[in-house]
Amino acid sequence: MPALTHLNRKGEAAMVDVSAKPPVLREAVAEGRILLQPATLDLIRSNQVKKGDVLSIARIAGIQAAKQTQYLIPLCHQIPLSKVQLDFELRSKAVHITATAITVAPTGVEMEALTAVSVAALTIYDMCKAADKKMRIEGVKLVSKTKGTSAT
């Protein structure tokens, strides 16, 4: 089993030192879904949810959350985000959420993509909670992460 990178020699939580690593183009894709009742999905499709345009607000919330990941995840590095994109697919029983995050940095961007999906799902939950008491968020996971060549 590989060693945990966020522990120091004493076994205490510690931020990983990435100062010797060059900035590299990195991309991460995460996904998740929120299960909703068919009537709630119809409200979203027809933009009839009383709180407003659910998917537009969830998109902005996901982007904003990705930009704040360093404050939400204690040992996460502050990285410059080049792009965060959220896509929504309305399915028969769920809204499927995909987030893509891109950076040029010495460390990965997967936490930002995962945070974007999670907060977008939570935003949908918040906006629809008056209409649907059976919503469930599930399947939040990293789909892929890639690393390009050095930017220096």
Side-chain angles (χ1 to χ4, degrees):
M1 184 173 189
L4 296 174
T5 58
H6 285 80
L7 297 177
N8 64 19
R9 290 183 206 130
K10 296 178 185 176
E12 301 164 331
M15 190 173 197
V16 174
D17 182 0
V18 297
S19 61
K21 295 171 70 176
V24 173
L25 177 64
R26 297 167 185 269
E27 179 176 313
V29 178
E31 70 179 8
R33 64 187 162 275
I34 179 166
L35 301 177
L36 303 119
Q37 298 297 308
T40 309
L41 285 162
D42 288 342
L43 289 173
I44 293 170
R45 273 189 199 92
S46 62
N47 200 17
Q48 297 299 309
V49 174
K50 291 188 184 216
K51 286 189 172 186
D53 182 345
V54 173
L55 300 182
S56 291
I57 295 168
R59 178 174 285 109
I60 297 297
I63 292 168
Q64 196 64 16
K67 293 164 53 176
Q68 299 300 316
T69 302
Q70 64 179 335
Y71 299 113
L72 300 170
I73 311 296
L75 300 177
C76 192
H77 291 87
Q78 175 182 0
I79 60 172
L81 291 171
S82 302
K83 182 174 184 170
V84 178
Q85 178 176 321
L86 276 98
D87 296 301
F88 302 96
E89 183 183 339
L90 277 72
R91 298 183 177 170
S92 62
K93 296 181 181 179
V95 175
H96 185 265
I97 306 161
T98 304
T100 303
I102 300 172
T103 190
V104 176
T107 190
V109 70
E110 57 268 32
M111 295 309 299
E112 287 74 9
L114 288 161
T115 299
V117 167
S118 298
V119 171
L122 287 167
T123 300
I124 294 169
Y125 190 103
D126 177 60
M127 294 191 71
C128 297
K129 65 187 176 197
D132 193 336
K133 306 297 184 200
K134 296 183 177 183
M135 291 179 289
R136 188 172 72 236
I137 296 168
E138 63 180 30
V140 176
K141 65 181 180 180
L142 182 66
V143 176
S144 66
K145 65 178 189 172
T146 58
K147 179 168 57 170
T149 59
S150 174
T152 55

